[in-house]
Amino acid sequence: MNKKRYIGIVTITLILSFLVSTLISLRSVSILMGDNHANIYATDICNELHEFLLEPRLIAQSMSNELANNIVIKKDKYSEEELSKLFGDYLNEIVRKFEFDTAYFVDGSNNRYYSFDGYARTLDYVNNESDRWYSDFTTSGVPYSLSINNDVVQKDNVMVFVNCRVEDKKRRFVGVCGIGVDKEKINELIQSFESKYNLKIHIISAKGIHVLHEHDKKETQIKKMLRTHKPEQDYKYEMTDDGGFLISKRIKESNWFLVVEESGQVKGIYDHLLLWNIIGCVIVLILVILIFSIIINHMDKCNVSIREKEEEQRNIIQSLADIYSTMHMFDLENGVCKEIRTNDVMRKVVLDNQGKDIQTIIRNAMRVTTQSDNLQNMLEFTDFHTLPERMRGHKILSQEFFGGKIGWARASFIRVQENEDGRVTKVLFVTQVIDDDKKREEQLIRISRTDELTRAYNRRAYDEIMEKEKMMNREDL
């Protein structure tokens, strides 16, 4: 595999890995920033808003018990002026003590409205739209609720009222009392929530009308969302066109909805995450390509060196092959025979023994090429079971034999490879015809032992014969 193709495969693999990891990351962010996470925001805000209104609600409930059991029950004993002063003093004490903006009581028997200044006016919820809250609350049957109205006394001030039903000991309706908190204080609280959570917050009636902290954006989508918010749903979540979300959550104490709006924060997180993933991928890709380039260059150099060594080894073996009659490489560990140079006899033996083990091949070769007088020696010489031990400490092992067709020859095992223990694992088996050398050697021996003219033994030959006789006589004695 060439360098460019290898780097290309690595690059494609890294890019695919980047895409998969990015999709997983974006999916994880989507889960974290999805409706469950948004519901946590809305729930936290609702809880904080509920906690802010908890004190007014508890005080209103306490007022309900106090008015029903200690004041309203005795009202028949007092004149209108005395009642006005009595209710006024009580409500003024509530406002002063707990630092509320206003407090009120409406007598259920005559709809007279009392504030901290005493009697204010009689409510007319039939003809006066601003008094309709009283009728809505008394007919709802709920123990307490929230409403937004202009203060009866301070008419220019818009208040968030916590209304509480007043009942006597027999659970009979006797009136309505409540605490008023300036609307701007609630708006400031909501603004603090917006800064804290980096969100926009709407308080909207079931009809889609802003009752607190109004925002113009998303009004159409919010109204549509509230129309589909089912009563059994604790919250409803929708994505917006700008990559943000809307979530609506019911406020228990009223028929209002808290709507939390996030404008593109999630998309911004997606974009930020995607950008850093791309930067990280590019950096990693560059580093990996550099590392792989270095590794591949090193491998190329190593491969060139290996090829050069292999080529050198082939050249050496080829040079040796020109010297020898036959040459075969035997892998003793894997049982493989590789032909380098051969003759017709050896080629036929190898072909006839295809599929057989290398020991059988070389034994059959010896049987075909070796005369019977030398066969046993050559079978022992070519025994691969004992060869590694016999070659320990030797580079070459040789054995001469007489072949019926080729005359005298020399067979040799040449060490090629060994394992960590020094045990030979790969050898060259070569044969070389030495018949002419043997004849020259015999001629030289004959010349050195006989007279060239008479062909009779010379003195040197007689001395050798006599020495042998002496040795034999000593052995007999």
Side-chain angles (χ1 to χ4, degrees):
M1 185 182 295
N2 59 51
K3 179 179 178 181
K4 290 183 178 179
R5 185 178 177 186
Y6 193 78
I7 292 177
I9 291 174
V10 172
T11 303
I12 292 171
T13 303
L14 285 175
I15 291 174
L16 290 175
S17 301
F18 157 73
L19 290 175
V20 172
S21 65
T22 300
L23 290 174
I24 293 173
S25 299
L26 293 178
R27 177 59 181 165
S28 300
V29 171
S30 176
I31 293 171
L32 290 173
M33 298 300 293
D35 58 347
N36 289 334
H37 197 71
N39 183 41
I40 293 173
Y41 283 147
T43 301
D44 287 346
I45 294 168
C46 267
N47 289 339
E48 292 193 48
L49 188 61
H50 184 271
E51 185 177 344
F52 179 81
L53 296 172
L54 179 62
E55 185 183 17
R57 183 165 66 86
L58 293 176
I59 298 302
Q61 289 175 328
S62 177
M63 286 171 57
S64 171
N65 293 329
E66 182 73 18
L67 288 166
N69 297 321
N70 297 324
I71 300 178
V72 177
I73 196 172
K74 302 175 182 179
K75 71 176 183 176
D76 293 338
K77 297 180 181 181
Y78 303 102
S79 65
E80 290 296 332
E81 289 185 10
E82 289 174 331
L83 276 176
S84 176
K85 186 176 185 310
L86 186 64
F87 283 125
D89 290 344
Y90 175 75
L91 296 172
N92 186 60
E93 177 66 16
I94 295 294
V95 171
R96 183 190 63 79
K97 184 176 181 180
F98 298 102
E99 298 181 349
F100 293 128
D101 294 296
T102 188
Y104 76 90
F105 170 70
V106 179
D107 190 337
S109 63
N110 52 27
N111 297 337
R112 291 170 67 87
Y113 187 98
Y114 298 92
S115 72
F116 56 84
D117 285 335
Y119 171 72
R121 65 182 178 86
T122 300
L123 300 181
D124 182 9
Y125 52 80
V126 176
N127 300 312
N128 191 342
E129 182 69 27
S130 63
D131 296 340
R132 188 67 56 80
W133 66 269
Y134 177 72
S135 174
D136 292 342
F137 176 65
T138 56
T139 57
S140 68
V142 296
Y144 60 89
S145 73
L146 295 177
S147 64
I148 295 181
N149 296 287
N150 290 83
D151 186 20
V152 172
V153 178
Q154 307 169 73
K155 295 184 179 181
D156 293 335
N157 290 351
V158 180
M159 299 285 180
V160 176
F161 287 97
V162 180
N163 307 305
C164 189
R165 189 180 182 88
V166 181
E167 297 178 343
D168 62 16
K169 292 181 179 180
K170 295 182 179 181
R171 309 283 301 199
R172 290 175 297 190
F173 175 74
V174 295
V176 177
C177 68
I179 300 295
V181 180
D182 194 311
K183 178 182 177 182
E184 290 307 312
K185 291 182 179 179
I186 308 292
N187 284 338
E188 289 174 4
L189 177 66
I190 293 173
Q191 286 176 352
S192 70
F193 294 158
E194 290 183 331
S195 299
K196 179 180 178 181
Y197 295 102
N198 194 24
L199 300 166
K200 290 182 179 179
I201 299 172
H202 310 257
I203 306 295
I204 300 177
S205 69
K207 297 179 181 180
I209 300 172
H210 279 83
V211 292
L212 284 171
H213 202 63
E214 183 174 353
H215 291 286
D216 294 332
K217 293 183 178 181
K218 308 287 189 306
E219 185 173 351
T220 302
Q221 186 174 357
I222 289 173
K223 287 182 179 180
K224 182 179 178 182
M225 180 181 183
L226 295 181
R227 284 197 297 269
T228 58
H229 192 137
K230 298 178 182 178
E232 64 272 13
Q233 286 181 293
D234 180 45
Y235 69 94
K236 185 173 177 62
Y237 174 89
E238 285 186 4
M239 294 293 292
T240 58
D241 295 336
D242 60 2
F245 63 80
L246 288 171
I247 184 166
S248 61
K249 192 173 181 70
R250 292 181 184 275
I251 299 176
K252 296 178 182 179
E253 293 82 3
S254 68
N255 196 24
W256 298 347
F257 288 92
L258 170 74
V259 178
V260 176
E261 174 190 344
E262 191 283 322
S263 300
Q265 182 180 350
V266 175
K267 185 176 183 297
I269 293 174
Y270 286 169
D271 294 341
H272 185 75
L273 180 61
L274 182 61
L275 175 63
W276 279 106
N277 274 354
I278 292 173
I279 292 172
C281 178
V282 171
I283 293 173
V284 171
L285 192 61
I286 291 172
L287 289 175
V288 170
I289 289 175
L290 286 174
I291 292 171
F292 270 96
S293 296
I294 294 170
I295 293 173
I296 291 171
N297 287 333
H298 179 71
M299 290 175 63
D300 287 343
K301 290 179 181 178
C302 291
N303 289 335
V304 169
S305 177
I306 291 170
R307 285 195 296 270
E308 288 176 351
K309 288 181 179 180
E310 288 178 346
E311 183 65 27
E312 183 180 357
Q313 190 178 46
R314 281 195 296 269
N315 291 335
I316 292 172
I317 291 173
Q318 191 60 46
S319 298
L320 290 173
D322 293 338
I323 298 173
Y324 297 105
S325 303
T326 65
M327 181 178 289
H328 293 78
M329 181 78 74
F330 285 100
D331 186 338
L332 304 182
E333 282 192 337
N334 299 313
V336 177
C337 172
K338 181 180 178 182
E339 180 185 289
I340 299 172
R341 182 172 183 177
T342 189
N343 54 30
D344 294 338
V345 175
M346 284 296 294
R347 185 179 295 111
K348 186 176 185 306
V349 170
V350 172
L351 288 174
D352 291 343
N353 290 272
Q354 278 187 347
K356 295 182 180 180
D357 59 272
I358 56 175
Q359 185 66 74
T360 300
I361 292 173
I362 198 166
R363 283 182 178 276
N364 289 338
M366 291 299 99
R367 289 189 178 98
V368 170
T369 58
T370 308
Q371 200 173 45
S372 58
D373 294 344
N374 302 118
L375 180 59
Q376 186 59 39
N377 289 338
M378 289 307 296
L379 291 176
E380 292 176 0
F381 176 73
T382 56
D383 187 349
F384 287 139
H385 297 98
T386 61
L387 180 62
E389 193 60 36
R390 285 185 285 127
M391 288 203 72
R392 190 176 293 276
H394 300 284
K395 295 292 184 181
I396 300 175
L397 283 182
S398 298
Q399 176 74 38
E400 294 178 356
F401 67 97
F402 188 79
K405 295 181 179 180
I406 59 174
W408 282 99
R410 180 183 295 115
S412 300
F413 285 112
I414 303 174
R415 179 189 295 266
V416 175
Q417 186 176 302
E418 61 185 29
N419 60 20
E420 295 177 354
D421 298 330
R423 184 181 177 87
V424 65
T425 57
K426 192 177 289 187
V427 293
L428 277 175
F429 178 71
V430 297
T431 59
Q432 182 181 17
V433 176
I434 59 170
D435 196 59
D436 291 341
D437 294 339
K438 276 288 187 180
K439 289 178 179 178
R440 283 194 293 273
E441 182 182 343
E442 289 175 356
Q443 185 178 4
L444 289 173
I445 291 173
R446 182 176 55 78
I447 290 172
S448 68
R449 292 166 59 99
T450 59
D451 182 77
E452 188 174 354
L453 180 62
T454 63
R455 302 294 182 183
Y457 287 125
N458 58 19
R459 183 178 179 82
R460 180 179 179 181
Y462 281 117
D463 289 341
E464 289 178 358
I465 293 170
M466 291 299 294
E467 186 64 31
K468 287 180 180 179
E469 288 292 331
K470 289 178 181 179
M471 292 294 294
M472 290 175 66
N473 291 331
R474 288 196 192 101
E475 291 177 359
D476 291 338
L477 293 174

